[in-house]
Amino acid sequence: MTEAYISYTATTNFVENEECILPIKDSSYTAGAWVNLPSNFIFKCDIVETKCLSEESIESFLHTQIYEKTGAVASSRHDVYILIVDSTSSFMAKRSWPKTLKYLKEQMGAVQMEFLNKVGDNSRPNGFPLAFGKSIEGGSRDLVGLPPLVPDWNDAEICQDYLDAYSYHLLDYGKEGYKTMIAQDYDVGIVYYPNCSGFRKSEADHIWRPFDIRRAESKNFKKSLEDSCSERHLEMLEFLEKFMHAYHGTPKIAQVWPTTLAHESLKDLFHSDDHFLAFFQRNEDIINNSFFFFMGDHGPRREGIGELRLGQYENLNPFLMMIVPAVYRSTAIHTQLKRKVHELMTNFDLHATLMDILKVCTSELWPTLLHVFEDRLQAEDFGYDIS
């Protein structure tokens, strides 16, 4: 287990102390006892608040770390990372992140899937199919002469239920030995929004949410965060990066969902191109051994874009780029991924893919299945009917 200490600078005019900030589901946190510095105390938490007091001022900061939990088991399984930038369409990504997308395609074999279609209006009804494989919002099928689509779950009823008994991607991976992490800004996550029961137990091993709650409720962090050019997506990427480098030899899955960056405006995404590029460059070695889903939940919904026909299309077509481990980039998996670039898909397909990565790619039959898959693709190339 990693023994984590928070560094500090001794200053004769200040009294310095620190405390742990621990999550209570997604809506609150509990704070540990303050520890006066200097100290050899080990902070057994992921979010640590520091406070330096003088007669004239208070200097406060929020630190993040990954305090590794017990039970980590070594495995050759690939990591899985899901990075969802809220309200980002396929076209928005191309306009706003030219350097990042170019780097991912040329250096990491990333494939942009052009026709991911949203299945609900906003984040919650699009997040449930991804995480649970279940719909909570119906829809009209008048265009194709079919009756209305009935959702798998009644949203009002499922909101009142605890969801621990259902298949949920992070919990499913956790049961198979993965260490798990989740982070989102703006508000509680999809299982708790707006005032739902969510889970009885912790959603993941590591939860970033207390950072955002504590930051928002105190003006003491304005100097160290907002006035120092910190942004929510940068803070979450930093937490993700620390998680990616933790638990050496143990497989990990993380879901990071920056909302504030693009939720209210199409204009704010452009400046983050350098941020995401730097993140992927720094972590290329780890990502090369991982499945990485870089995506949006739906397209833009603000600033009157829905009044334009193209804007309506963008709202329906969230961004999706997929990276497979380097070991598979010259195999049938990568070939098939490229073939599906212009095929219609939804978050139900992504949920099925996540389950395949968990259950199929790790089975003893996987090498045989991969060879069979490659043989089928070769047969298709030669025009044989393999149906």
Side-chain angles (χ1 to χ4, degrees):
M1 179 181 297
T2 301
E3 293 190 352
Y5 300 86
I6 301 299
S7 62
Y8 71 96
T9 302
T11 307
T12 56
N13 295 327
F14 283 86
V15 176
E16 300 177 282
N17 45 34
E18 302 179 356
E19 66 174 354
C20 273
I21 306 295
L22 299 163
I24 301 178
K25 295 191 175 180
D26 250 23
S27 58
S28 187
Y29 66 87
T30 181
W34 285 104
V35 177
N36 292 326
L37 297 179
S39 171
N40 290 325
F41 183 81
I42 298 174
F43 292 88
K44 299 180 179 181
C45 55
D46 294 334
I47 313 297
V48 180
E49 178 178 347
T50 62
K51 182 169 61 176
C52 301
L53 305 173
S54 72
E55 294 180 357
E56 296 82 18
S57 64
I58 299 176
E59 298 283 345
S60 295
F61 198 84
L62 287 171
H63 301 268
T64 61
Q65 63 179 9
I66 298 298
Y67 182 77
E68 295 187 9
K69 298 189 175 184
T70 59
V73 179
S75 170
S76 60
R77 292 181 172 188
H78 297 290
D79 291 354
V80 179
Y81 300 108
I82 308 166
L83 176 54
I84 307 169
V85 183
D86 203 291
S87 304
T88 300
S89 71
S90 185
F91 284 163
M92 281 177 66
K94 292 176 181 179
R95 292 192 298 263
S96 304
W97 297 328
K99 290 183 285 187
T100 300
L101 300 193
K102 182 176 186 292
Y103 174 80
L104 293 179
K105 291 176 181 178
E106 294 181 356
Q107 300 299 320
M108 306 186 75
V111 180
Q112 184 166 357
M113 316 307 287
E114 300 289 354
F115 293 118
L116 178 66
N117 202 90
K118 75 171 192 175
V119 295
D121 179 44
N122 54 18
S123 297
R124 182 173 162 87
N126 286 291
F128 264 71
L130 176 67
F132 293 92
K134 300 293 184 181
S135 61
I136 59 171
E137 186 175 280
S140 172
R141 295 190 290 182
D142 291 344
L143 187 64
V144 291
L146 294 174
L149 188 66
V150 178
D152 298 314
W153 288 344
N154 180 291
D155 191 17
E157 293 178 1
I158 205 69
C159 179
Q160 303 305 314
D161 290 345
Y162 285 105
L163 304 177
D164 304 71
Y166 298 103
S167 174
Y168 173 70
H169 62 335
L170 296 186
L171 296 181
D172 290 345
Y173 272 78
K175 292 174 184 176
E176 295 297 325
Y178 278 72
K179 290 301 179 181
T180 59
M181 185 273 272
I182 191 165
Q184 76 276 331
D185 62 342
Y186 187 77
D187 208 332
V188 295
I190 59 167
V191 298
Y192 297 100
Y193 186 85
N195 296 296
C196 298
S197 299
F199 296 105
R200 290 183 185 273
K201 298 181 179 179
S202 180
E203 185 176 2
D205 294 313
H206 301 276
I207 300 174
W208 180 81
R209 176 77 176 140
F211 183 104
D212 202 34
I213 300 174
R214 183 71 185 114
R215 174 203 61 80
E217 72 178 15
S218 175
K219 296 180 180 179
N220 291 341
F221 303 109
K222 185 175 184 296
K223 180 179 179 181
S224 61
L225 295 177
E226 271 71 14
D227 291 352
S228 299
C229 298
S230 185
E231 298 180 70
R232 304 297 80 76
H233 68 282
L234 292 174
E235 294 152 4
M236 282 187 280
L237 288 177
E238 179 184 355
F239 193 60
L240 172 59
E241 186 168 349
K242 291 176 180 178
F243 179 70
M244 294 168 75
H245 287 268
Y247 295 107
H248 181 70
T250 298
K252 299 175 286 293
I253 182 172
Q255 178 176 289
V256 178
W257 197 321
T259 298
T260 308
L261 179 59
H263 192 267
E264 300 301 321
S265 174
L266 285 75
K267 306 179 185 70
D268 294 339
L269 202 59
F270 290 90
H271 82 285
S272 65
D273 192 13
D274 288 335
H275 302 160
F276 286 107
L277 175 62
F279 168 80
F280 283 110
Q281 288 176 329
R282 286 195 307 271
N283 298 287
E284 181 177 350
D285 289 344
I286 291 177
I287 296 172
N288 274 335
N289 195 38
S290 309
F291 289 94
F292 204 108
F293 298 79
F294 189 22
M295 59 185 293
D297 56 344
H298 53 75
R301 303 168 65 239
R302 298 288 193 266
E303 300 180 321
I305 193 170
E307 299 173 7
L308 304 174
R309 184 175 181 181
L310 182 58
Q312 295 169 8
Y313 175 82
E314 286 213 33
N315 176 252
L316 295 171
N317 181 213
F319 166 64
L320 173 61
M321 178 168 276
M322 295 179 61
I323 304 170
V324 300
V327 68
Y328 297 137
R329 291 177 197 164
S330 58
T331 70
I333 291 179
H334 207 213
T335 300
Q336 185 71 349
L337 192 62
K338 293 177 180 178
R339 288 185 177 187
K340 291 183 176 292
V341 163
H342 294 103
E343 291 188 13
L344 183 67
M345 60 185 63
T346 69
N347 281 356
F348 290 103
D349 299 297
L350 298 186
H351 178 81
T353 301
L354 290 171
M355 294 301 102
D356 281 347
I357 292 170
L358 177 63
K359 299 175 182 179
V360 178
C361 292
T362 57
S363 74
E364 295 180 357
L365 295 176
W366 173 239
T368 301
L369 292 172
L370 185 57
H371 285 306
V372 171
F373 191 28
E374 290 176 338
D375 290 342
R376 288 174 63 88
L377 287 181
Q378 290 178 4
E380 288 180 353
D381 289 339
F382 283 104
Y384 293 113
D385 183 3
I386 58 173
S387 59

